Structures are given as structure tokens and as C-alpha cells.
Amino acid sequence: MDHAVSRAAVLVLIPVAMATAITWLGCFDSVVTELGFQHYGERPEHGIPFLPSQLKMPANTLVNLGYTLLGFIWLRKFLKDRNEDNITNSDLFVGSVFCWMAVVYGPVQFLRIVTQQHRFAVMDQWFTLPFFAWVVVMSDYLMHGWNTRRALTVVVFSFASYSLALVHDLGFEAALGIHILFAVLYGMQIFLASQSKQLKSKLLWAMILAILSCVGFVVLKLLDLHLAKFSLFHRFSGHFWSKVADIMQIHFVCKFFHPVMEENAKNKKI
């Protein structure tokens, strides 16, 4: 495995292992999470041929593999572009961290749906926050260059912010809202700082689609049980489509940062 890619994997796996250990020690057992199939619009039983009957809510379960697949697709894209000198080695490292997050997040989501266990639900919530924190890190890197202290500060504060869920029932939602706000603000800085009209156009579309995907994720998830009243959403429920929107959000974030990396690498060659 490429050194930058493997270094990024280690950077993701270490906090994942620490967060898993903290969760399984019971530190967040008092956090409010939604457990049970009654919270989902999709019916648990499916009767789909070739799928085991023990697999409940197959659409909501299997859609989570999309996170992992998308992570590997973009990982391959970043590696290919680095090998062709379209982006730098540092770009590959920063982009790979985001990709490995997606790769890891898929199984966590899968296990939450399959097991309906509180601690997997906690991990699902907790691991959502660093995605937005890393958008801030990537933005800062592309504007000012890599700074380990700043990156570490952002990541530590992001992980620590989940402790708000211990203080209030809506603590996680508050932390997530703050993360989303900072991610959008830093993305806007990248967009406003870009000089090329062609680059600005690419960034604008990617940013709009990423924000729309984020809104779609939130709205479809909230309306899941209401949408389940309509036959159109019996098999592929609002929660399923919210996961699709979430996966597309990750895709458009990569689409946003990738051309900036290419532009920066091109300018360094001149």
C-alpha cells in the first residue's frame, strides 16, 4: 500500500479504536439513541428471494455498503491522480483520510441497523462529526498549507464535542449543527478565494449539491415514518433515501476539493 494512503489509514484507525474502547467501557450508555425497528419506515420482514429472512430491513441495511464502496472509489481516484502528478503527495494523504472515514463508517452503520444495539448507535452518531471536522481541516490545508497543530486541534475538539450528548438529549444535534456550520463556512472561504472562473463554476456546483445532499439527508430522515404511509416508500423508505443523500454528500465534498488540489498542483509546476 502507498505510504501516504497507509499513513492516512492509521490516522483514522487510531481514533476509531479509541472511540470504540471508550464506547464499550460504557461512558456513553446514558446518551439518548433511537433503538428498535419501530423508528424506521421500512418493514423488518422482506420476503426478497436470495436474501436471508434474518436480514431485517434489507434496503436500510445494504445501502450502508455504499459508504465503503464510495470511499474505495475516491481512494483509487486520489492515488491515480497523485501517480500522474495531478495532485501532490500531501493532497493524497489529506484526501485519503476522508476516504478511509467513509470506508470505516459503512460497517458501523451496518452494525447499528443489524444489531439495534445502543453502543453501535453511539458510534454511528460519534463518527458522523469528524467528517465535517475534516472538511475544515482540508479547507485550512488548501488555503494555508498543512499544519499538524491546527489539524489536531480541530479533530480533538470534534471528538470531544460528542460529550454534549451527555449534557442534554439534543446535545448530539447541537454538536452536529455546529460542525455543519463550520464546514459550510470554510467551504465558502475556499470558493471565494478561488481565482479561476472555471474552477469557481466547478466549486459552486459541487458546494450546492453537497449542501442539498446534507439537507436531503436531514429532511428525509426526519420524515421517514411520515413517508412510510405512502406505498412508494414501503420498500425504499425515507431513511434509505437519506442514506443515499448522505453518501452523495461525501461524494460531492470530494468533488469540491479535488479540482482545488489539481489547480494548486498545476500552479506549483509553473
Side-chain angles (χ1 to χ4, degrees), residues 44-100:
E45 292 74 23
H46 56 82
I48 300 175
F50 309 113
L51 286 180
S53 58
Q54 293 86 352
L55 182 67
K56 307 300 183 183
M57 299 193 301
N60 277 324
T61 300
L62 298 178
V63 71
N64 295 305
L65 301 178
Y67 291 99
T68 301
L69 178 62
L70 182 68
F72 280 126
I73 288 172
W74 270 102
L75 202 58
R76 186 172 179 271
K77 169 69 174 169
F78 282 125
L79 184 58
K80 178 176 178 289
D81 284 352
R82 194 288 311 272
N83 291 340
E84 294 175 355
D85 290 329
N86 293 326
I87 64 174
T88 67
N89 206 53
S90 297
D91 294 336
L92 172 62
F93 167 72
V94 173
S96 295
V97 170
F98 195 71
C99 293
W100 281 121

Coordinates of all heavy atoms in Angstrom, one line a residue, residues 44-100:
P44 N -39.5 -4.6 8.8 CA -38.3 -5.5 9.0 C -38.3 -6.7 8.1 O -37.3 -7.1 7.6 CB -38.5 -5.9 10.5 CG -39.4 -4.9 11.1 CD -40.3 -4.4 10.0
E45 N -39.5 -7.4 7.9 CA -39.6 -8.6 7.1 C -39.7 -8.2 5.6 O -40.3 -7.2 5.2 CB -40.8 -9.4 7.4 CG -40.8 -10.0 8.8 CD -41.0 -9.0 9.9 OE1 -41.6 -8.0 9.7 OE2 -40.6 -9.3 11.1
H46 N -39.0 -8.9 4.8 CA -38.9 -8.5 3.4 C -39.4 -9.6 2.4 O -40.1 -9.2 1.4 CB -37.5 -8.2 3.0 CG -36.5 -9.2 3.3 ND1 -36.2 -10.3 2.4 CD2 -35.6 -9.5 4.3 CE1 -35.3 -11.1 2.9 NE2 -34.9 -10.6 4.1
G47 N -39.1 -10.8 2.5 CA -39.5 -11.9 1.6 C -38.9 -11.7 0.2 O -39.4 -12.2 -0.8
I48 N -37.7 -11.1 0.2 CA -36.9 -11.0 -1.1 C -36.1 -12.2 -1.4 O -35.4 -12.7 -0.5 CB -36.0 -9.8 -1.0 CG1 -36.8 -8.5 -0.8 CG2 -35.2 -9.6 -2.3 CD1 -35.9 -7.3 -0.6
P49 N -36.3 -12.8 -2.5 CA -35.5 -14.1 -2.9 C -34.0 -13.8 -2.8 O -33.5 -12.7 -3.1 CB -35.9 -14.4 -4.3 CG -37.2 -13.6 -4.5 CD -37.2 -12.4 -3.6
F50 N -33.3 -14.9 -2.4 CA -31.8 -14.9 -2.3 C -31.3 -14.1 -1.1 O -30.1 -14.1 -0.9 CB -31.2 -14.4 -3.6 CG -31.7 -15.0 -4.9 CD1 -32.4 -14.3 -5.8 CD2 -31.5 -16.4 -5.1 CE1 -32.9 -14.9 -6.9 CE2 -32.0 -17.0 -6.2 CZ -32.7 -16.2 -7.2
L51 N -32.2 -13.4 -0.4 CA -31.7 -12.7 0.8 C -32.2 -13.5 2.1 O -33.4 -13.9 2.1 CB -32.2 -11.3 0.9 CG -31.5 -10.3 -0.1 CD1 -32.2 -8.9 0.1 CD2 -30.0 -10.2 0.2
P52 N -31.4 -13.7 3.1 CA -31.8 -14.5 4.2 C -32.9 -13.7 5.0 O -32.9 -12.5 5.1 CB -30.6 -14.6 5.1 CG -29.7 -13.5 4.6 CD -30.0 -13.3 3.2
S53 N -33.9 -14.5 5.5 CA -35.0 -13.8 6.2 C -34.5 -13.2 7.5 O -35.2 -12.3 8.0 CB -36.1 -14.9 6.6 OG -35.5 -16.0 7.3
Q54 N -33.4 -13.6 8.0 CA -32.8 -13.0 9.2 C -32.4 -11.6 9.0 O -32.2 -10.8 10.0 CB -31.6 -13.8 9.8 CG -32.0 -15.2 10.3 CD -32.1 -16.2 9.1 OE1 -31.9 -15.9 8.0 NE2 -32.2 -17.5 9.5
L55 N -32.1 -11.2 7.7 CA -31.7 -9.9 7.4 C -32.9 -8.9 7.4 O -33.7 -8.9 6.5 CB -31.0 -9.8 6.0 CG -30.4 -8.5 5.6 CD1 -29.3 -8.1 6.5 CD2 -30.0 -8.5 4.1
K56 N -33.0 -8.1 8.5 CA -34.1 -7.2 8.6 C -33.8 -5.9 7.9 O -32.7 -5.5 7.8 CB -34.3 -6.9 10.1 CG -34.5 -8.1 11.0 CD -35.7 -9.0 10.6 CE -35.9 -10.2 11.5 NZ -37.0 -11.1 11.1
M57 N -34.9 -5.3 7.4 CA -34.8 -4.0 6.6 C -33.6 -4.0 5.6 O -32.6 -3.3 5.8 CB -34.6 -2.9 7.6 CG -35.8 -2.7 8.6 SD -35.7 -1.1 9.4 CE -34.1 -1.2 10.2
P58 N -33.7 -4.9 4.6 CA -32.5 -5.1 3.7 C -32.1 -3.8 3.0 O -30.9 -3.6 2.8 CB -33.0 -6.1 2.7 CG -34.5 -6.1 2.8 CD -34.8 -5.7 4.2
A59 N -33.0 -2.9 2.6 CA -32.7 -1.7 1.9 C -31.8 -0.8 2.9 O -30.8 -0.3 2.5 CB -33.9 -1.0 1.4
N60 N -32.3 -0.6 4.1 CA -31.6 0.3 5.0 C -30.3 -0.4 5.5 O -29.4 0.4 5.9 CB -32.5 0.5 6.3 CG -33.5 1.7 6.0 OD1 -33.1 2.7 5.4 ND2 -34.7 1.6 6.6
T61 N -30.2 -1.7 5.4 CA -29.0 -2.4 5.9 C -28.0 -2.3 4.8 O -26.8 -1.9 5.0 CB -29.3 -3.8 6.2 OG1 -30.3 -3.9 7.3 CG2 -28.1 -4.6 6.7
L62 N -28.3 -2.7 3.6 CA -27.3 -2.9 2.5 C -26.9 -1.6 1.9 O -25.8 -1.5 1.3 CB -27.9 -3.8 1.4 CG -28.2 -5.2 1.8 CD1 -28.8 -6.0 0.7 CD2 -27.0 -5.9 2.3
V63 N -27.7 -0.5 2.0 CA -27.3 0.8 1.5 C -26.0 1.3 2.2 O -25.3 2.1 1.6 CB -28.4 1.8 1.7 CG1 -28.6 2.2 3.1 CG2 -28.2 3.1 0.8
N64 N -25.8 0.8 3.4 CA -24.6 1.3 4.1 C -23.3 0.8 3.5 O -22.2 1.4 3.7 CB -24.6 0.8 5.6 CG -25.8 1.5 6.3 OD1 -25.9 2.7 6.3 ND2 -26.7 0.7 6.9
L65 N -23.3 -0.2 2.6 CA -22.2 -0.6 1.9 C -21.7 0.4 0.9 O -20.5 0.5 0.5 CB -22.4 -1.9 1.2 CG -22.9 -3.1 2.1 CD1 -23.2 -4.3 1.2 CD2 -21.8 -3.5 3.1
G66 N -22.6 1.3 0.6 CA -22.3 2.4 -0.3 C -21.2 3.3 0.2 O -20.4 3.9 -0.6
Y67 N -21.2 3.6 1.5 CA -20.2 4.4 2.1 C -18.8 3.8 1.8 O -17.9 4.5 1.4 CB -20.4 4.5 3.6 CG -21.5 5.3 4.1 CD1 -22.7 4.6 4.5 CD2 -21.5 6.7 4.2 CE1 -23.8 5.4 4.9 CE2 -22.6 7.4 4.6 CZ -23.7 6.7 5.0 OH -24.8 7.5 5.4
T68 N -18.7 2.5 2.1 CA -17.4 1.8 1.9 C -17.0 1.8 0.5 O -15.8 2.1 0.1 CB -17.5 0.4 2.5 OG1 -17.8 0.4 3.9 CG2 -16.1 -0.3 2.4
L69 N -17.9 1.5 -0.4 CA -17.6 1.4 -1.8 C -17.2 2.8 -2.3 O -16.1 2.9 -3.0 CB -18.9 1.0 -2.6 CG -18.7 0.9 -4.1 CD1 -17.6 -0.1 -4.5 CD2 -20.1 0.5 -4.8
L70 N -17.9 3.9 -2.0 CA -17.5 5.2 -2.4 C -16.1 5.6 -1.9 O -15.3 6.2 -2.6 CB -18.6 6.2 -1.9 CG -18.3 7.7 -2.3 CD1 -18.5 7.8 -3.9 CD2 -19.3 8.6 -1.6
G71 N -15.9 5.2 -0.6 CA -14.5 5.5 0.0 C -13.4 4.9 -0.8 O -12.4 5.6 -1.1
F72 N -13.6 3.7 -1.2 CA -12.5 3.0 -2.0 C -12.4 3.6 -3.4 O -11.3 3.7 -4.0 CB -12.8 1.5 -2.1 CG -12.4 0.7 -0.9 CD1 -13.3 -0.1 -0.2 CD2 -11.1 0.8 -0.4 CE1 -12.9 -0.8 0.9 CE2 -10.7 0.1 0.7 CZ -11.6 -0.7 1.4
I73 N -13.6 4.0 -4.0 CA -13.6 4.6 -5.4 C -12.8 5.9 -5.3 O -11.9 6.1 -6.2 CB -15.0 4.9 -5.9 CG1 -15.7 3.5 -6.2 CG2 -15.0 5.8 -7.1 CD1 -17.2 3.7 -6.5
W74 N -13.0 6.8 -4.4 CA -12.3 8.0 -4.3 C -10.8 7.8 -3.9 O -9.9 8.6 -4.3 CB -13.0 9.0 -3.4 CG -14.0 9.8 -4.1 CD1 -15.4 9.7 -4.1 CD2 -13.7 10.9 -5.0 NE1 -15.9 10.6 -5.0 CE2 -15.0 11.4 -5.5 CE3 -12.6 11.6 -5.4 CZ2 -15.1 12.5 -6.4 CZ3 -12.6 12.6 -6.3 CH2 -13.9 13.1 -6.8
L75 N -10.6 6.8 -3.1 CA -9.2 6.5 -2.7 C -8.4 6.1 -3.9 O -7.3 6.6 -4.1 CB -9.2 5.3 -1.7 CG -8.0 5.1 -0.8 CD1 -7.8 6.3 0.1 CD2 -8.3 3.9 0.1
R76 N -9.0 5.3 -4.8 CA -8.3 4.9 -6.0 C -8.1 6.2 -6.9 O -7.1 6.3 -7.6 CB -9.2 3.9 -6.7 CG -8.6 3.3 -8.0 CD -9.4 2.1 -8.5 NE -8.9 1.5 -9.7 CZ -9.2 1.9 -10.9 NH1 -10.0 2.9 -11.1 NH2 -8.6 1.4 -12.0
K77 N -9.1 7.1 -6.9 CA -9.0 8.3 -7.8 C -7.9 9.2 -7.3 O -7.1 9.7 -8.1 CB -10.4 9.0 -7.7 CG -10.4 10.4 -8.3 CD -10.2 10.4 -9.8 CE -10.4 11.8 -10.4 NZ -10.0 11.9 -11.8
F78 N -7.8 9.4 -6.0 CA -6.8 10.3 -5.5 C -5.4 9.7 -5.7 O -4.4 10.4 -6.1 CB -7.0 10.5 -3.9 CG -8.0 11.5 -3.6 CD1 -9.1 11.1 -2.7 CD2 -8.0 12.8 -4.1 CE1 -10.0 12.1 -2.4 CE2 -8.9 13.7 -3.7 CZ -10.0 13.4 -2.9
L79 N -5.3 8.3 -5.5 CA -4.0 7.7 -5.7 C -3.6 7.7 -7.2 O -2.4 8.0 -7.5 CB -4.1 6.2 -5.3 CG -2.8 5.4 -5.4 CD1 -1.7 6.0 -4.5 CD2 -3.1 3.9 -4.9
K80 N -4.5 7.5 -8.1 CA -4.2 7.6 -9.6 C -3.8 9.0 -9.9 O -2.8 9.1 -10.7 CB -5.5 7.2 -10.3 CG -5.4 7.3 -11.9 CD -6.6 6.8 -12.5 CE -6.5 6.9 -14.0 NZ -6.6 8.3 -14.5
D81 N -4.4 10.0 -9.4 CA -4.1 11.4 -9.8 C -2.7 11.8 -9.2 O -2.0 12.5 -9.8 CB -5.1 12.3 -9.3 CG -6.4 12.3 -10.2 OD1 -6.3 11.7 -11.2 OD2 -7.4 12.9 -9.8
R82 N -2.4 11.3 -8.0 CA -1.1 11.5 -7.5 C 0.0 10.9 -8.3 O 1.1 11.5 -8.6 CB -1.0 11.1 -6.0 CG 0.2 11.6 -5.2 CD 1.5 11.0 -5.5 NE 1.5 9.5 -5.6 CZ 1.7 8.7 -4.6 NH1 1.9 9.2 -3.4 NH2 1.6 7.4 -4.8
N83 N -0.2 9.7 -8.7 CA 0.7 8.9 -9.6 C 1.0 9.6 -10.9 O 2.0 9.5 -11.5 CB 0.3 7.5 -9.8 CG 0.4 6.7 -8.5 OD1 1.1 7.0 -7.6 ND2 -0.3 5.6 -8.4
E84 N -0.1 10.3 -11.4 CA 0.0 11.1 -12.7 C 0.4 12.5 -12.4 O 0.4 13.3 -13.4 CB -1.3 11.0 -13.4 CG -1.7 9.6 -13.8 CD -3.1 9.5 -14.5 OE1 -3.8 10.5 -14.5 OE2 -3.4 8.4 -14.9
D85 N 0.8 12.9 -11.2 CA 1.3 14.2 -10.8 C 0.2 15.3 -11.0 O 0.5 16.5 -11.2 CB 2.5 14.6 -11.6 CG 3.8 13.9 -11.2 OD1 3.8 13.5 -10.0 OD2 4.6 13.6 -12.1
N86 N -1.1 14.9 -10.9 CA -2.2 15.8 -11.0 C -2.5 16.5 -9.6 O -3.0 17.6 -9.5 CB -3.4 15.2 -11.5 CG -3.3 14.8 -13.0 OD1 -2.6 15.4 -13.8 ND2 -3.9 13.7 -13.4
I87 N -2.1 15.7 -8.6 CA -2.2 16.3 -7.2 C -0.9 15.9 -6.5 O -0.1 15.0 -7.0 CB -3.4 15.7 -6.4 CG1 -3.3 14.2 -6.2 CG2 -4.7 16.1 -7.1 CD1 -4.4 13.6 -5.4
T88 N -0.7 16.5 -5.4 CA 0.6 16.3 -4.6 C 0.4 15.1 -3.6 O -0.7 14.6 -3.4 CB 1.0 17.5 -3.8 OG1 0.0 17.8 -2.8 CG2 1.1 18.7 -4.7
N89 N 1.5 14.7 -3.1 CA 1.5 13.6 -2.1 C 0.7 14.0 -0.8 O 0.0 13.2 -0.2 CB 2.9 13.2 -1.7 CG 3.0 11.8 -1.2 OD1 2.6 10.9 -1.9 ND2 3.6 11.6 -0.1
S90 N 0.9 15.3 -0.5 CA 0.1 15.8 0.7 C -1.4 15.8 0.4 O -2.2 15.5 1.3 CB 0.6 17.2 1.0 OG 1.9 17.2 1.4
D91 N -1.8 16.2 -0.8 CA -3.2 16.1 -1.2 C -3.7 14.7 -1.1 O -4.8 14.5 -0.6 CB -3.3 16.5 -2.7 CG -3.0 18.0 -2.9 OD1 -3.1 18.8 -1.9 OD2 -2.7 18.4 -4.1
L92 N -2.9 13.7 -1.5 CA -3.3 12.3 -1.4 C -3.5 11.9 0.0 O -4.5 11.3 0.3 CB -2.2 11.4 -2.1 CG -2.4 9.9 -1.9 CD1 -3.7 9.4 -2.5 CD2 -1.2 9.1 -2.4
F93 N -2.7 12.3 0.9 CA -2.8 12.0 2.3 C -4.1 12.6 2.9 O -4.9 11.9 3.5 CB -1.6 12.5 3.1 CG -1.8 12.5 4.6 CD1 -1.8 11.3 5.3 CD2 -2.0 13.7 5.3 CE1 -2.0 11.3 6.7 CE2 -2.2 13.6 6.7 CZ -2.2 12.4 7.4
V94 N -4.3 13.9 2.7 CA -5.5 14.6 3.2 C -6.8 14.0 2.7 O -7.7 13.7 3.4 CB -5.4 16.1 3.0 CG1 -6.6 16.8 3.4 CG2 -4.2 16.7 3.7
G95 N -6.8 13.7 1.4 CA -8.0 13.2 0.7 C -8.2 11.7 1.2 O -9.4 11.3 1.4
S96 N -7.1 11.0 1.4 CA -7.2 9.6 1.8 C -7.8 9.4 3.2 O -8.6 8.5 3.5 CB -5.9 8.9 1.8 OG -5.4 8.8 0.5
V97 N -7.5 10.4 4.1 CA -8.1 10.4 5.4 C -9.7 10.4 5.3 O -10.4 9.6 6.0 CB -7.6 11.6 6.3 CG1 -8.4 11.7 7.6 CG2 -6.1 11.4 6.6
F98 N -10.2 11.3 4.5 CA -11.6 11.4 4.3 C -12.2 10.2 3.7 O -13.3 9.7 4.1 CB -11.9 12.6 3.4 CG -13.3 13.1 3.4 CD1 -13.8 13.8 4.5 CD2 -14.1 12.9 2.3 CE1 -15.2 14.2 4.5 CE2 -15.5 13.3 2.3 CZ -16.0 14.0 3.4
C99 N -11.5 9.6 2.8 CA -11.9 8.3 2.1 C -12.0 7.2 3.1 O -12.9 6.4 3.2 CB -11.0 7.9 1.0 SG -11.1 9.1 -0.4
W100 N -10.9 7.1 4.0 CA -10.9 6.0 5.0 C -12.0 6.1 6.0 O -12.6 5.2 6.5 CB -9.5 5.9 5.7 CG -8.5 5.3 4.9 CD1 -7.3 5.8 4.5 CD2 -8.4 3.9 4.4 NE1 -6.5 4.9 3.8 CE2 -7.2 3.7 3.7 CE3 -9.3 2.8 4.5 CZ2 -6.9 2.5 3.1 CZ3 -9.0 1.6 3.9 CH2 -7.8 1.5 3.2

